[in-house]
Amino acid sequence: MRRRPGPLARRPLACLLIALLPVISGCAIPAVADPAAAGGVELLDDRILRRDDGPRGIPLGGLSEIAADGQGGYLLISDDRGAYGPPRYLRLQIDFNLQTGRFQIGARDWEMLITGHAPGVQPPDMVDAEALRVVPGTGNLVWSSEGEIWDGVPADIYLSDATGRLLQTFELPIWFRPDRVRGTSHRGMRPNKAFEALDATADGQQVVAMVEDVLMQELDVRDQAGRVPVRVLRFDIATGRLLASHVYPVDPFPDPGTAGDRMTNAAGAVSMLLLSDGRYLVLERGFERSLGVRIRLYLVDPRRADDVSDIENLSDRPYRPAEKILLADLIGAGLRADNWEGMAFGPDLPDGRMTLVLVSDDNFNQLFQSTIIAWMALPPLDTIGVQQPGQ
């Protein structure tokens, strides 16, 4: 989610509404939870971090993604947009006890996200950092910034080396860009609705990135289930060029037929993790003022999805989206109701179950929200099938 320093009146509406929820309805963020849809996911442990837990006197907050560093530690990118320091990420050690299912927060330190740039690579004027992954085999970082799209600061995906030197950006189709430099656009990614989810393939050769919500020219596109089409792009890391693209359908929030279902685009895809068999996991966050927050985990199979790389507007031509299945309602599985934005794989448990480590973004407003690290166990994924509704 987007943050901007300054008075609450300048904050984006979604952030402001979430901040006001405890004032409106009590001491905690209301939740939309379905315990029956927990899907075998188990909350093992969680920890709440304070602002003064940040090293070097820089407040800890705004953590919008968590990534395994490939060496047993984790990197958590901060999206404070320069209010508390330069673009950065937190290098964090988490000590897991695989026997008890508990963990402790260990050593931590800030690392600068941008320290220089290669020739011909232009550093962004402002960074609203959202997604982060370590590229296997290289130690390079691939990350995204949502920019300030309608104020002339583009949203982009970047590749940096381990020292913070920008190496390249990734090429986007022109219809992902606004049709004017400043002001409301009729085309492209929308403010605070750009790339919040991405991952690198295990061979370190490709990056897969997902837009949080529908493009501007596709605001009215819905399928029969009321879902909106979100673009998923696959890039070649060596060249930054687009290789393919497919559609991931984001579930509506609130669910059709419930109170408040007049709302549209109240949910978005905020994190993804690739699996070795070509499928991937997606974390969807939904928010509606009168209902609260919903956090769901989906298992997605894109292998039969159509390539939509050359389609500017999805309302113009038919297409087959990726197939998805609800893996779990995470709040129903025991996750605290908060602004969850990031996930990474944790260590496997002795019984063979995979685990996830999740992070919530406090929006630098811990009066109402928290920075939370949670550890959850997944059911076996190899026996779970995926199909479209009605198939």
Side-chain angles (χ1 to χ4, degrees):
M1 298 179 71
R2 176 180 169 192
R3 293 113 201 105
R4 180 192 294 272
L8 283 176
R10 297 178 61 191
R11 290 186 180 273
L13 179 59
C15 295
L16 178 59
L17 291 177
I18 288 179
L20 289 176
L21 275 171
V23 176
I24 296 170
S25 56
C27 61
I29 295 177
V32 179
D34 183 2
V41 172
E42 178 187 357
L43 175 66
L44 300 173
D45 197 9
D46 62 15
R47 293 285 183 276
I48 297 178
L49 301 177
R50 307 181 308 272
R51 289 189 68 179
D52 58 7
D53 286 327
R56 305 192 196 184
I58 300 176
L60 190 149
L63 303 180
S64 57
E65 184 60 279
I66 182 169
D69 67 4
Q71 301 175 353
Y74 291 87
L75 310 179
L76 298 95
I77 200 165
S78 180
D79 63 353
D80 78 75
R81 299 163 62 89
Y84 301 99
R88 63 195 179 277
Y89 59 91
L90 184 72
R91 187 175 295 275
L92 179 69
Q93 185 67 38
I94 304 177
D95 301 317
F96 299 96
N97 188 320
L98 301 182
Q99 302 303 319
T100 65
R102 307 282 286 176
F103 71 87
Q104 295 294 331
I105 301 297
R108 69 204 74 125
D109 199 6
W110 293 113
E111 301 278 355
M112 296 303 103
L113 189 61
I114 302 175
T115 60
H117 58 92
V121 179
Q122 179 65 39
D125 293 334
M126 184 277 298
V127 173
D128 182 5
E130 294 292 344
L132 174 70
R133 292 288 181 245
V134 178
V135 180
T138 67
N140 290 338
L141 304 180
V142 59
W143 55 277
S144 70
S145 170
E146 287 195 308
E148 189 68 87
I149 296 175
W150 291 353
D151 287 337
V153 181
D156 273 309
I157 302 170
Y158 300 89
L159 184 71
S160 303
D161 67 17
T163 71
R165 184 172 182 261
L166 284 181
L167 301 177
Q168 70 178 34
T169 58
F170 291 80
E171 298 179 9
L172 298 178
I174 188 63
W175 50 85
F176 277 66
R177 303 295 191 188
D179 55 12
R180 56 189 303 181
V181 175
R182 294 181 182 275
T184 303
S185 172
H186 300 289
R187 183 189 71 189
M189 295 180 289
R190 296 179 289 144
N192 195 33
K193 298 291 184 181
F195 293 108
E196 284 217 15
L198 58 78
D199 201 2
T201 55
D203 60 10
Q205 296 184 11
Q206 297 179 7
V207 168
V208 181
M210 179 183 294
V211 180
E212 180 184 1
D213 205 342
V214 65
L215 299 181
M216 192 68 186
Q217 66 268 28
E218 295 161 352
L219 280 175
D220 296 327
V221 180
R222 301 286 188 276
D223 66 11
Q224 292 182 345
R227 304 177 304 182
V228 300
V230 164
R231 307 278 191 138
V232 182
L233 307 180
R234 183 175 291 267
F235 299 94
D236 177 73
I237 289 182
T239 63
R241 293 178 179 172
L242 181 65
L243 299 174
S245 176
H246 68 267
V247 169
Y248 169 80
V250 170
D251 279 18
F253 181 72
D255 291 319
T258 62
D261 65 359
R262 64 190 181 279
M263 297 288 292
T264 59
N265 297 333
V270 294
S271 189
M272 71 183 304
L273 287 169
L274 301 178
L275 301 173
S276 59
D277 61 4
R279 297 182 297 172
Y280 55 86
L281 299 175
V282 170
L283 187 67
E284 283 191 27
R285 176 194 58 211
F287 171 74
E288 201 278 322
R289 179 176 179 176
S290 64
L291 297 178
V293 62
R294 181 183 75 187
I295 306 295
R296 285 179 172 179
L297 183 67
Y298 293 86
L299 178 62
V300 187
D301 191 341
R303 290 173 290 189
R304 294 198 296 168
D306 291 335
D307 188 348
V308 296
S309 300
D310 62 344
I311 301 179
E312 179 172 351
N313 191 327
L314 293 173
S315 64
D316 295 338
R317 283 159 52 184
Y319 61 90
R320 181 195 293 265
E323 300 168 354
K324 63 182 285 190
I325 189 170
L326 176 62
L327 189 60
D329 180 312
L330 294 186
I331 298 179
L335 194 68
R336 299 175 194 247
D338 215 296
N339 183 35
W340 295 94
E341 289 207 3
M343 62 179 179
F345 285 119
D348 291 351
L349 297 176
D351 60 11
R353 285 183 294 169
M354 300 169 62
T355 69
L356 293 178
V357 185
L358 296 98
V359 66
S360 67
D361 183 349
D362 71 342
N363 293 319
F364 290 98
N365 188 358
Q366 289 194 335
L367 178 61
F368 300 130
Q369 294 169 264
S370 301
T371 297
I372 313 172
I373 306 293
W375 189 26
M376 307 194 80
L378 299 177
L381 302 181
D382 54 357
T383 60
I384 299 177
V386 179
Q387 63 181 13
Q388 295 282 22
Q391 288 187 333

